[in-house]
Amino acid sequence: MNDNNYHQQVLIVGGGPAGFATALMLAKRGWTNITVLEKRPTADYYEPDKSFNYLIDGRGQKFTDYIGITEQLPKNGVASTDFYLTKITPDGNRKTLKLPIINPDRKPAYWITRKTFVNLLYQEIEKNWHDSITVIFNAKCVEINKTINGESKLEEIKAIAEIENGEKIKFQPFLLVGCDGINSIVRNTLKKWEKPSSSKFEMNYFPSPSSGLRYKILTLPPKFPLDEKGEELTKSEMAYAVRSAFKDRKNSISLGLLPVKDPDEVRSANIITKPNHNIWELKSGEEMHDFLTKSFPQLSINKIVSSQEAERFALTEGGTFPIPQYCDGFYSKLNGESFIVLLGDAIHSFPPDLGQGVNSALEDVCTLNDALQQSNNNLVEALPLYESSRLPDTKALIRLMQVGYPWQYNQAPIRQKLWNINFLVRLSLSKILPFLITPPAFFLIQNHQLSYQETLTKAERTTRILYAIIAILLLGLASRLG
């Protein structure tokens, strides 16, 4: 690639973690004239139904190390090594424990809210790379076309974005980057262009016990009271699991609160249920407030859930955990010096079971960076290398999502108990026979030095060994009985 191409236009659709990370990576590599389109109004915009907490682990920190912001994570997040959970039963009893599911021998991961992490990336752009990167907020890509240059007869990309006042902006990038999520307009455009000759941009779907579960997020005040008198307040760096007084499957819920660093930040309480739960039938604030009051007698709902929040919560549609999915195509080269590449949820999406959504997206960016490094920024060589390097890991990740920790939402208590037994057996045997048995995939995936392929290979090897042990035991029992 000619160095002059560095100064042609790069258009990134999507200003979430993958989009901002890609922009920063390209800018650090010397690329300029990079534009990021983001539909939200600001980098730190608070959306109640998207107020996720990320766990930035060693995989995600490969990227933060690269751009030099890893030291910002402990300042803005809570370390996994300090992860304490308080369970609150309906009678008000509270029990605090340090969860053993975090491997203390691995690099600390950090719980950080989505808006805080995205804003960290944006502040890095504004501070050090504003000459190379332009971010346009309130901008949505609405159309992507390929046209033929009248003089050169080569294909070119034309993209149209609509901004807040209805004005439309046209772009003609030589590199179009799709970081626009599961319903990516970039990937869907490529899918349309490729039909019927190829299905490489079609998503491949795989069943999972957690896909299809629905969630809502209830916004609670910072430091809200845990008792009627208000004598004990929640701690920002503490996680909470508040259990419902209802026991039947269609009414029982839990409030799950992950830790936040800022003691003055609002708390997001996750409610995850099956699609047929009664909470989805409540359509008014009054009904919802009454339901929450009866569900959580241990909390002073009147003091911590306003009528406005109850109304908003009742009317919101919430979200649904996606089916684990990926596409085989990560890039496209037009008939000319124009390229399209996909990263993040645009190429792989799955439920949040293993906390790998943001980390896998940041690792996508690192893999693309490695490919550009190996090819000296030659996109003709780099993009096929990125795809061939990343696709096997993506397939392994999707498989891990099916078996890693899919029953954690209490959606099927019996299956959850069986899964927990399997988890504890693997964990115990891995300590007794570490040369033969590996820990559960949930632990393995915390080792960022293992690729997703290596993690899956180790987990499947242990499964085969356990099946063999069970078969030997059954044969021995049968011979004795015979």
Side-chain angles (χ1 to χ4, degrees), residues 111-267:
W111 291 104
I112 184 169
T113 63
R114 182 190 189 280
K115 73 181 186 69
T116 300
F117 183 67
V118 172
N119 197 46
L120 278 180
L121 298 179
Y122 179 66
Q123 292 303 320
E124 178 65 15
I125 291 173
E126 288 293 282
K127 180 180 178 182
N128 295 314
W129 304 103
H130 62 274
D131 291 338
S132 302
I133 303 170
T134 300
V135 180
I136 305 177
F137 291 106
N138 284 315
K140 181 180 181 181
C141 183
V142 294
E143 190 176 335
I144 302 170
N145 298 299
K146 57 181 175 180
T147 60
I148 304 297
N149 185 295
E151 297 180 1
S152 66
K153 306 302 181 184
L154 297 177
E155 292 179 323
E156 298 175 339
I157 301 170
K158 296 257 179 101
I160 300 175
E162 188 173 275
I163 59 178
E164 187 177 19
N165 58 9
E167 178 187 350
K168 292 186 176 180
I169 309 174
K170 296 181 181 180
F171 299 88
Q172 188 176 318
F174 88 96
L175 175 61
L176 176 64
V177 184
C179 297
D180 49 337
I182 190 171
N183 297 312
S184 168
I185 186 175
V186 181
R187 189 193 70 247
N188 286 331
T189 298
L190 289 173
K191 183 170 66 174
K192 181 178 65 176
W193 289 353
E194 290 284 333
K195 282 186 174 182
S197 61
S198 170
S199 61
K200 68 178 184 177
F201 294 108
E202 294 275 2
M203 282 295 192
N204 304 290
Y205 297 94
F206 300 85
S208 164
S210 60
S211 60
L213 293 176
R214 297 183 68 179
Y215 65 88
K216 282 192 177 191
I217 298 178
L218 183 67
T219 301
L220 301 176
K223 295 177 285 190
F224 63 84
L226 289 173
D227 53 37
E228 186 66 34
K229 296 181 179 179
E231 294 177 350
E232 184 170 351
L233 306 178
T234 53
K235 300 175 183 178
S236 65
E237 298 192 17
M238 175 72 70
Y240 294 89
V242 187
R243 305 307 187 195
S244 169
F246 293 121
K247 301 302 179 185
D248 61 294
R249 303 297 299 164
K250 296 194 70 173
N251 286 294
S252 178
I253 57 174
S254 289
L255 299 180
L257 287 80
L258 290 169
V260 296
K261 186 70 171 182
D262 183 357
D264 295 319
E265 187 165 1
V266 296
R267 300 301 296 270

Side-chain angles (χ1 to χ4, degrees), residues 317-356:
E317 294 182 0
T320 303
F321 287 176
I323 298 173
Q325 56 193 276
Y326 73 90
C327 65
D328 293 299
F330 288 14
Y331 80 97
S332 180
K333 178 183 182 298
L334 275 63
N335 180 25
E337 287 295 308
S338 297
F339 304 85
I340 301 174
V341 65
L342 304 171
L343 300 97
D345 284 355
I347 51 174
H348 48 65
S349 187
F350 36 79
D353 307 348
L354 298 176
Q356 289 304 299

